[in-house]
Amino acid sequence: MKLKFIGHSCFLLEYKEYKILIDPFITGNPNINLDPLSIEANYILVSHGHSDHVGDSVEISKKNSAKIIANYEVAEYCEKLGANTLGMNIGGMVDLDFCKIKLVTAIHSSRLPDGSYGGNPNGFLVYNDEFSLYFAGDSALTLDMQLIPKLAPKLDFAILPMGDYYTMGIEDCVLAAQFIDCQRIIACHFDTFPPIKLDRNKAHNAFDKNGIELIIPMVGEYIKL
Ligand code: NI
Ligand code: MN
């Protein structure tokens, strides 16, 4: 499996012939110089309605006939704009044959770019017999994360928002890693805007102290898994 950090909370997961794109906020991201329509995807996971997550989902979905997987309200919004969607909700799982995707709790807010109600924000579990990962969306630290180890196979890695201010910060992410029982954490949702600047040394020190591997990816980087 290959995992590329495109920027902010956007990742591209490549497994066999499948490409799963997560939260593709590219247009408007000051750190990315990339044509969103150059990205190929079969599925697009959208964690909630905020524009830094819905981003270019609709355009990429239309270009690639990629299915957007999101909560019901986000999916309905994208569907109205011409995208192909699966409108699910928290607690629900869909079996895509090559992997399972489950929507799990995220504590955050969710309003769509047009101001309409975005439903409840969520995270995603993506797993099969070969890999298992958790993407937390924009979640705050929540005790619900203690359920994650019971909902999916042992996690190979988890992607957590670490920039603080709008989401968890460093210390909360360490606790989250313990709650979800995961030894390899990939940071996201940092450095895109001034309030979410990440102190890399502080983050590495906090994780080192707790014996948990932390990867702080560079924009455009393929992450070694
Ligand atoms: Ni958000
Ligand atoms: Mn966000």
Side-chain angles (χ1 to χ4, degrees):
M1 183 218 286
K2 278 164 57 175
L3 183 71
K4 185 179 186 180
F5 179 53
I6 293 181
H8 196 55
S9 292
C10 180
F11 290 82
L12 182 67
L13 186 76
E14 298 178 46
Y15 173 74
K16 295 184 177 168
E17 70 267 42
Y18 303 102
K19 291 180 177 175
I20 300 177
L21 184 63
I22 304 174
D23 281 356
F25 166 56
I26 294 145
T27 303
N29 181 330
N31 297 334
I32 305 181
N33 184 7
L34 176 72
D35 175 4
L37 294 182
S38 68
I39 302 172
E40 289 177 8
N42 308 106
Y43 294 93
I44 302 169
L45 311 186
V46 181
S47 64
H48 62 292
H50 291 156
S51 55
D52 59 321
H53 298 264
V54 174
D56 302 288
S57 299
V58 170
E59 291 71 24
I60 297 170
S61 163
K62 287 195 207 172
K63 167 97 192 290
N64 293 270
S65 307
K67 251 193 179 39
I68 293 177
I69 299 179
N71 77 19
Y72 191 83
E73 290 80 5
V74 171
E76 194 178 43
Y77 166 85
C78 296
E79 186 99 27
K80 272 189 196 150
L81 296 172
N84 191 348
T85 69
L86 288 184
M88 300 175 59
N89 221 324
I90 297 170
M93 187 269 280
V94 61
D95 190 340
L96 301 178
D97 293 333
F98 70 98
C99 75
K100 292 177 169 144
I101 296 184
K102 187 177 175 77
L103 273 63
V104 294
T105 312
I107 301 293
H108 189 61
S109 61
S110 179
R111 186 173 57 194
L112 286 155
D114 67 355
S116 62
Y117 172 63
N120 289 307
N122 59 267
F124 292 98
L125 288 168
V126 183
Y127 58 95
N128 60 21
D129 290 340
E130 290 174 35
F131 69 82
S132 180
L133 71 95
Y134 167 56
F135 174 77
D138 265 2
S139 193
L141 181 66
T142 166
L143 280 173
D144 283 7
M145 289 170 177
Q146 292 181 352
L147 283 173
I148 300 290
K150 300 192 184 300
L151 300 178
K154 169 86 177 147
L155 296 173
D156 298 306
F157 64 90
I159 300 171
L160 303 180
M162 205 169 289
D164 217 322
Y165 201 81
Y166 302 114
T167 66
M168 290 186 277
I170 295 164
E171 301 300 335
D172 287 3
C173 280
V174 170
L175 283 169
Q178 292 165 347
F179 284 179
I180 63 178
D181 190 23
C182 184
Q183 294 307 307
R184 179 185 272 171
I185 300 299
I186 299 167
C188 73
H189 215 275
F190 61 88
D191 288 3
T192 318
F193 314 113
I196 60 173
K197 185 110 192 78
L198 182 65
D199 183 333
R200 286 171 161 68
N201 285 335
K202 194 176 159 202
H204 280 298
N205 287 338
F207 277 76
D208 285 353
K209 219 167 42 188
N210 287 278
I212 302 165
E213 183 187 352
L214 171 66
I215 297 167
I216 304 175
M218 307 287 287
V219 167
E221 179 188 348
Y222 273 100
I223 297 161
K224 283 213 179 68
L225 296 171

